Amino acid sequence: MSNIFNTDYVDLSSSNNLLHDFFQIIQNFDKMNIKEMEPTIKNINKNIFDGDLSIAVDELVNLIFKGLNEGKDEEVLKRHVLNYINNHNIILQEIYDWLLNNQCNSNSICLLGYFNFYGIEVNVNRQIAIELYHKAAKSENNVAQLNLANIYIYGKGTDKNYDLAFKLAKNLAEKDVPNAINKLGYCYNNGIGTDVNEQKAFELYKKAADLGSSAAMSNLGWCYDKGTGTVVDKSKAFELFQMSANLGNSYGLNNLGWFYEGVGTDADKQKAFELYQKAANNGNYIAQYNLALLYENGNGTEKDISQAIYWYNASAENGYPYAKHKLEELLDV
């Protein structure tokens, strides 16, 4: 779940050697077989000047950075990237070819990694994406470092590396990057690369939430709901879930839906269904599971086993083991 924090005190002063450690790890990564992607021989449209695409690349990376700090979900952020490209009349193939031919600065390298990670104009190739992110991270590219921290926390496309994830998050948290502060809170909350420290997790979630991170708002709400690093306050949890949901965060939507099932407020199964559906459409695997449960049992909507199977399958494909078990039950596998 997500976390947030409100604090004037965060002990981030114990990292004098942080950058040295971080770049040492990056250098060690270089010893792996990193192959630079081959430039394409295709021509770029003569009506598009290199400078124009260079500006577009910088704006796209800034858009991603802003979205990450606001707590936008991966699928939502990807749609924003595609909308920017479409609204600026840029042909996907042309910008992808340009990126292949212009791996000359950290933004172009990072965006090429982003295209490979999410399968934009190319088949998904997370190994290449990670290699490109590491190359951009060596130049202290913020988006590359944030994406690597997320990758190493969850093991997306590679093995988990909690130590590196923690160092990446801490490095950027010291620069007051909201997404990194929220991630650092998650690390302290779950013992990722450090000892569990619920009080520090709460403080960091609060700080990131105060800086506008909807993901941190949801995480902070979870702290108030469970009494993690603070006292239990269901009304405060509900308020934070509502704030996060209003900003479109899928975890906030899911958690608010959970409350509307009667956990922390008066039950409204139809409202819970609507909230789960919004979060599920944004790729949230927990909401997909919860939505499938409502379809299976006919709560908040008509019973529909085919829809239940569809959403259990979506959740299972996103790695949720409980959804896989439910799917096996319904299909008698």
Side-chain angles (χ1 to χ4, degrees):
M1 291 289 190
S2 317
N3 318 317
I4 175 179
F5 113 65
N6 158 20
T7 182
D8 293 327
Y9 168 72
V10 181
D11 183 13
L12 297 177
S13 61
S14 62
S15 58
N16 293 334
N17 296 321
L18 179 60
L19 285 177
H20 175 270
D21 292 344
F22 165 62
F23 287 113
Q24 184 61 51
I25 293 171
I26 295 296
Q27 292 297 333
N28 290 340
F29 184 89
D30 283 346
K31 295 175 183 177
M32 298 170 61
N33 184 24
I34 302 178
K35 45 193 177 301
E36 187 163 338
M37 297 185 69
E38 293 296 329
T40 178
I41 59 173
K42 296 178 181 177
N43 292 322
I44 303 297
N45 188 320
K46 299 304 181 183
N47 295 323
I48 297 180
F49 295 101
D50 281 358
D52 291 335
L53 279 181
S54 179
I55 292 170
V57 167
D58 289 343
E59 290 183 348
L60 280 166
V61 173
N62 287 335
L63 182 152
I64 294 169
F65 186 57
K66 181 174 182 288
L68 289 171
N69 285 320
E70 291 172 348
K72 286 189 169 31
D73 295 294
E74 291 181 53
E75 287 301 315
V76 173
L77 194 46
K78 179 181 174 181
R79 288 199 293 270
H80 286 339
V81 167
L82 292 173
N83 286 340
Y84 175 97
I85 292 170
N86 182 61
N87 292 338
H88 286 77
N89 298 314
I90 300 171
I91 298 171
L92 270 176
Q93 182 66 59
E94 288 181 342
I95 190 170
Y96 181 72
D97 290 345
W98 188 91
L99 290 170
L100 284 175
N101 282 299
N102 292 272
Q103 297 174 52
C104 52
N105 61 59
S106 70
N107 276 351
S108 60
I109 294 166
C110 178
L111 190 61
L112 184 58
Y114 187 88
F115 276 34
N116 276 272
F117 195 87
Y118 291 105
I120 298 176
E121 197 53 36
V122 66
N123 292 331
V124 170
N125 191 323
R126 291 187 169 176
Q127 181 181 356
I128 287 178
I130 291 167
E131 292 171 356
L132 289 164
Y133 283 155
H134 269 278
K135 187 176 179 182
K138 286 177 63 179
S139 298
E140 298 191 62
N141 186 281
N142 289 336
V143 171
Q145 291 183 51
L146 287 174
N147 286 339
L148 283 173
N150 199 57
I151 286 167
Y152 286 121
I153 287 173
Y154 298 105
K156 294 184 175 182
T158 188
D159 294 334
K160 295 177 181 179
N161 187 331
Y162 287 166
D163 289 340
L164 180 53
F166 178 79
K167 284 183 170 65
L168 287 163
K170 192 169 185 179
N171 177 42
L172 290 176
E174 291 183 339
K175 300 177 182 178
D176 283 337
V177 175
N179 181 282
I181 295 168
N182 181 58
K183 275 188 174 61
L184 188 61
Y186 186 82
C187 288
Y188 279 113
N189 200 165
N190 296 279
I192 294 173
T194 187
D195 294 332
V196 171
N197 187 327
E198 292 184 350
Q199 177 65 33
K200 186 167 285 190
F202 172 82
E203 292 171 353
L204 287 162
Y205 288 146
K206 171 98 173 50
K207 184 177 181 181
D210 288 346
L211 290 171
S213 169
S214 61
M217 293 171 194
S218 177
N219 286 335
L220 189 60
W222 194 250
C223 288
Y224 278 113
D225 182 61
K226 300 301 180 185
T228 301
T230 187
V231 296
V232 172
D233 187 335
K234 297 289 185 181
S235 62
K236 186 66 175 177
F238 179 83
E239 178 187 340
L240 285 158
F241 290 154
Q242 183 72 69
M243 290 170 59
S244 179
N246 288 345
L247 292 170
N249 182 268
S250 70
Y251 286 97
L253 288 162
N254 177 75
N255 294 339
L256 189 62
W258 182 63
F259 260 48
Y260 272 111
E261 278 208 70
V263 175
T265 188
D266 293 335
D268 186 338
K269 299 288 187 180
Q270 184 176 350
K271 180 69 172 177
F273 173 82
E274 293 170 358
L275 290 162
Y276 286 151
Q277 191 170 53
K278 288 180 181 178
N281 286 332
N282 285 342
N284 188 294
Y285 65 91
I286 300 173
Q288 290 168 345
Y289 176 84
N290 290 334
L291 183 62
L293 276 175
L294 295 187
Y295 272 120
E296 181 184 359
N297 298 309
N299 289 329
T301 187
E302 292 185 9
K303 185 172 182 176
D304 190 330
I305 298 301
S306 64
Q307 280 294 305
I309 290 172
Y310 173 85
W311 286 110
Y312 280 137
N313 186 63
S315 180
E317 286 183 350
N318 281 323
Y320 201 41
Y322 298 108
K324 182 179 179 182
H325 296 153
K326 291 290 293 185
L327 199 58
E328 290 171 351
E329 288 177 12
L330 287 178
L331 297 176
D332 292 324
V333 176

